[in-house]
Amino acid sequence: GSAKVERAYAEYYRVMGNFEEARSHLVNAQIKEPDELDNLLLSADISKDQGIPEVAEGKYNDALSRNFMFTNTYSSLVVLYSNPALFKSKKSSIENLVQKVNLLETGSVLKTSYYNILRDAGYTFSLNQEYAISENYYNKAIVLQPENCAAIIDLAYILANQEKYEASEKLFNKAI
């Protein structure tokens, strides 16, 4: 099949947890389109899923060196840094990645990528039980897009995890 079909199969097998089959299809996609950034990003995702975060990080950074405008890669790194093996050494890099996306979307009305990376940063800090920082990122996302309930719901869950049930319930009601 075409590189796109091979990549689709690779993604399917990645989601199913069959990394050997995923890599096999990804190699076929890479042979057909060796410079395709999506192949490199999928390879990074597979490495992340296999529990090899350092390899995934290298591939994400390689992708950024090829196209620093692709904002999803910054988000992928932020989520990767939620891994306890990387979090302590990389948590200071997260704000820098968030700000790069903000700068890349200067002039954009919706700032969708910035909204998403704010949520990803909130998620990363919450997984590592740094709730105050997590709440800060979610609140920034809510201010940016108050009509979008995703960050509101995320923040409600974070508050519930901290047993702040009344504040959590208010946010869930706001989202409804």
Side-chain angles (χ1 to χ4, degrees), residues 90-110:
K90 298 297 182 175
K91 80 180 205 179
S92 62
S93 304
I94 293 170
E95 179 60 23
N96 185 38
L97 294 167
V98 169
Q99 287 312 311
K100 283 181 181 179
V101 171
N102 187 26
L103 289 172
L104 287 170
E105 287 197 327
T106 299
S108 170
V109 175
L110 292 178

Side-chain angles (χ1 to χ4, degrees), residues 121-131 133-134 138 158 161:
Y123 169 80
T124 292
F125 280 96
S126 71
L127 282 182
N128 288 278
Q129 299 178 348
E130 296 208 14
Y131 296 118
I133 298 171
S134 174
Y138 285 128
I158 297 309
N161 285 340

Side-chain angles (χ1 to χ4, degrees), residues 114-124 137-138 141 148 150-151 154:
Y114 182 52
Y115 175 84
N116 289 334
I117 200 168
L118 286 168
R119 288 185 60 224
D120 291 334
Y123 169 80
T124 292
Y137 280 112
Y138 285 128
N148 191 334
D154 293 338

Side-chain angles (χ1 to χ4, degrees), residues 10 13-14 17-27 46 50:
Y13 285 111
R14 178 185 78 89
N18 186 340
F19 301 120
E20 186 176 325
E21 195 66 28
R23 287 222 182 266
S24 172
H25 285 281
L26 182 57
V27 165
I46 291 169
Q50 286 186 288

Side-chain angles (χ1 to χ4, degrees), residues 28-97:
N28 290 337
Q30 290 170 320
I31 289 169
K32 293 171 189 211
E33 290 183 342
D35 296 325
E36 176 58 48
L37 190 60
D38 287 334
N39 292 335
L40 180 57
L41 292 171
L42 181 54
S43 180
D45 291 341
I46 291 169
S47 294
K48 178 186 76 167
D49 293 348
Q50 286 186 288
I52 317 169
E54 295 82 4
V55 172
E57 180 184 29
K59 291 177 182 185
Y60 288 134
N61 283 321
D62 187 17
L64 284 176
S65 72
R66 293 183 191 193
N67 183 353
F68 72 92
M69 299 288 290
F70 194 64
T71 57
N72 288 349
T73 310
Y74 295 94
S75 284
S76 294
L77 276 169
V78 167
V79 172
L80 178 68
Y81 294 159
S82 69
N83 183 309
L86 294 176
F87 181 73
K88 286 186 193 250
S89 66
K90 298 297 182 175
K91 80 180 205 179
S92 62
S93 304
I94 293 170
E95 179 60 23
N96 185 38
L97 294 167

